[in-house]
Amino acid sequence: QVQLDESGGGSVQSGGSLRLSCVASEVPSINHYRMGWFRQAPGKEREGVAGIDTNGHTAYGDSVEGRFTISRDNAKHTLYLQMNDLEPEDTATYYCAAEAGAAAHEWHLLAPPHFSYWGLGTQVTVSS
């Protein structure tokens, strides 16, 4: 059972930056897990922000492409999300997720039903 712990959330002004981290535990290696970042704002569905496959291939949601960067350090069991040029619309709870195996299709990297393991989330608030 993979345990995921997010950190790095906080409150920033529009245009600011944050770096989220997610540490995976209770698993000997994350090399064979695809991983992703998702977010959910009050009253909205959970949406895919960014995903990274076992081979390092990445996918981004349309609203964050060019501003956010996902990366992974398998040796440290850690997933990152660098968020730049933040906007008030980015305000949400951000969740880390993992699933064993590579994605069959790129869109699976951004689809919540294709991930089995979830963290508890970290809050990001962007003020204008």
Side-chain angles (χ1 to χ4, degrees), residues 4-24:
L4 301 171
D5 293 302
E6 306 97 334
S7 62
S11 296
V12 297
Q13 290 192 324
S14 182
S17 298
L18 283 173
R19 188 194 197 201
L20 304 183
S21 299
C22 170
V23 178

Side-chain angles (χ1 to χ4, degrees), residues 35-49:
M35 302 189 75
W37 288 100
F38 297 80
R39 68 186 182 188
Q40 188 166 19
K44 294 188 177 181
E45 292 186 357
R46 189 167 297 190
E47 66 170 339
V49 174

Side-chain angles (χ1 to χ4, degrees), residues 34-75:
R34 61 183 181 268
M35 302 189 75
W37 288 100
F38 297 80
R39 68 186 182 188
Q40 188 166 19
K44 294 188 177 181
E45 292 186 357
R46 189 167 297 190
E47 66 170 339
V49 174
I52 185 165
D53 214 336
T54 56
N55 63 358
H57 178 73
T58 59
Y60 293 92
D62 291 342
S63 63
V64 307
E65 183 131 36
R67 300 187 297 123
F68 291 10
T69 302
I70 189 171
S71 61
R72 62 192 297 164
D73 186 333
N74 290 342

Side-chain angles (χ1 to χ4, degrees), residues 72-121:
R72 62 192 297 164
D73 186 333
N74 290 342
K76 295 183 178 179
H77 287 205
T78 304
L79 178 73
Y80 301 100
L81 184 68
Q82 178 66 44
M83 305 186 295
N84 297 329
D85 195 20
L86 283 160
E87 303 168 351
E89 293 74 23
D90 295 316
T91 295
T93 301
Y94 283 70
Y95 298 91
C96 171
E99 178 62 45
H105 304 281
E106 182 177 281
W107 65 268
H108 288 181
L109 293 175
L110 299 174
H114 289 273
F115 287 82
S116 299
Y117 305 103
W118 293 85
L120 296 180

